Amino acid sequence: AAGVIQSPRHLIKEKRETATLKCYPIPRHDTVYWYQQGPGQDPQFLISFYEKMQSDKGSIPDRFSAQQFSDYHSELNMSSLELGDSALYFCASSTGASGNTIYFGEGSWLTVV
Amino acid sequence: AQSVTQPDIHITVSEGASLELRCNYSYGATPYLFWYVQSPGQGLQLLLKYFSGDTLVQGIKGFEAEFKRSQSSFNLRKPSVHWSDAAEYFCAVGIISNFGNEKLTFGTGTRLTIIP
């Protein structure tokens, strides 16, 4: 079965650079979530989209932005990168209805040097 | 505010022994509860979930969890662990957003080590 696809899987950027992560949800899933997991930490909710509209916002820095496109894929844009942004970024998707399972991708490793 | 507590940071179990990972939650309404497993450098895989109904939930890989409202707990169990069960386990509660969908709040995780 198709899963949540994230790209790139690994990314190395320098401080103050910009990075873009892409997420392709499971087909027919209309809700996308972004989570950030720092080293040794639990995943922290950043932002979610339902039917291309932002549905919820968590601890996402102002330097980050995200959107969901007409084909339901989503992109997380991170600017002015800081060393502390180094983390595993998960995308997840679901059908949006309450109670449905949220499926996670394999994650994108971002290292800021 | 909602929260999830996993009291055990690290647990070591012998292969073939039974396992119980603890999870306590704080949430004002009826919770949606989940257990996810994460192998090193990998994504999060759903083991099981509780939404309503039978409080004993069966999951994949031989895991089960029991929802106890009176104790605000959702402990994960397995009768006999295998070396491949070594991983990080996260308990999570689903919070309903304004749009009716939900986001997950995770506990800090329990790292499971299996010894021969």
Side-chain angles (χ1 to χ4, degrees):
Chain A
V4 178
I5 306 298
Q6 292 187 243
S7 68
R9 292 295 313 280
H10 299 271
L11 190 61
I12 299 175
K13 290 286 187 179
E14 295 187 353
K15 285 193 303 183
R16 293 180 289 280
E17 284 193 319
T18 297
T20 297
L21 305 180
K22 295 185 178 182
C23 170
Y24 298 87
I26 293 172
R28 290 179 295 281
H29 280 194
D30 51 20
T31 303
V32 167
Y33 310 80
W34 285 98
Y35 284 81
Q36 178 193 57
Q37 185 180 29
Q41 304 294 313
D42 56 293
Q44 295 290 316
F45 173 74
L46 292 178
I47 195 166
S48 63
F49 294 88
Y50 169 66
E51 284 291 347
K52 293 150 278 184
M53 293 179 59
Q54 182 180 307
S55 58
D56 210 340
K57 193 172 181 180
S59 51
I60 184 169
D62 292 340
R63 299 177 289 107
F64 292 10
S65 65
Q67 58 181 324
Q68 187 179 30
F69 294 86
S70 58
D71 63 351
Y72 294 99
H73 94 273
S74 178
E75 295 184 4
L76 177 66
N77 299 292
M78 299 174 283
S79 63
S80 302
L81 287 169
E82 302 173 356
L83 295 178
D85 296 329
S86 296
L88 181 59
Y89 289 83
F90 285 112
C91 176
S93 75
S94 74
T95 59
S98 176
N100 284 338
T101 298
I102 299 173
Y103 295 91
F104 284 79
E106 293 286 308
S108 292
W109 283 98
L110 171 66
T111 302
V112 181
V113 297
Chain B
Q2 67 285 347
S3 65
V4 178
T5 302
Q6 293 180 247
D8 305 304
I9 296 173
H10 186 200
I11 284 182
T12 300
V13 178
S14 298
E15 190 170 15
S18 64
L19 170 71
E20 182 169 28
L21 302 182
R22 296 183 292 167
C23 172
N24 293 96
Y25 68 89
S26 173
Y27 186 50
T30 300
Y32 297 152
L33 296 163
F34 306 81
W35 275 100
Y36 284 86
V37 61
Q38 184 180 31
S39 297
Q42 300 299 310
L44 293 161
Q45 183 182 22
L46 179 69
L47 286 176
L48 48 77
K49 61 185 180 184
Y50 170 78
F51 289 157
S52 64
D54 194 345
T55 56
L56 184 61
V57 181
Q58 301 298 319
I60 63 171
K61 304 183 178 184
F63 286 93
E64 66 177 27
E66 186 172 11
F67 170 60
K68 293 185 177 180
R69 184 186 300 275
S70 61
Q71 299 177 18
S72 297
S73 69
F74 189 57
N75 294 347
L76 182 71
R77 300 193 294 251
K78 186 170 185 178
S80 177
V81 297
H82 186 262
W83 64 267
S84 61
D85 293 325
E88 188 87 16
Y89 290 80
F90 290 97
C91 181
V93 60
I95 311 300
I96 305 302
S97 75
N98 294 333
F99 279 72
N101 61 334
E102 62 198 53
K103 64 181 180 183
L104 298 176
T105 294
F106 288 87
T108 50
T110 297
R111 182 159 59 95
L112 176 64
T113 298
I114 307 296
I115 56 177

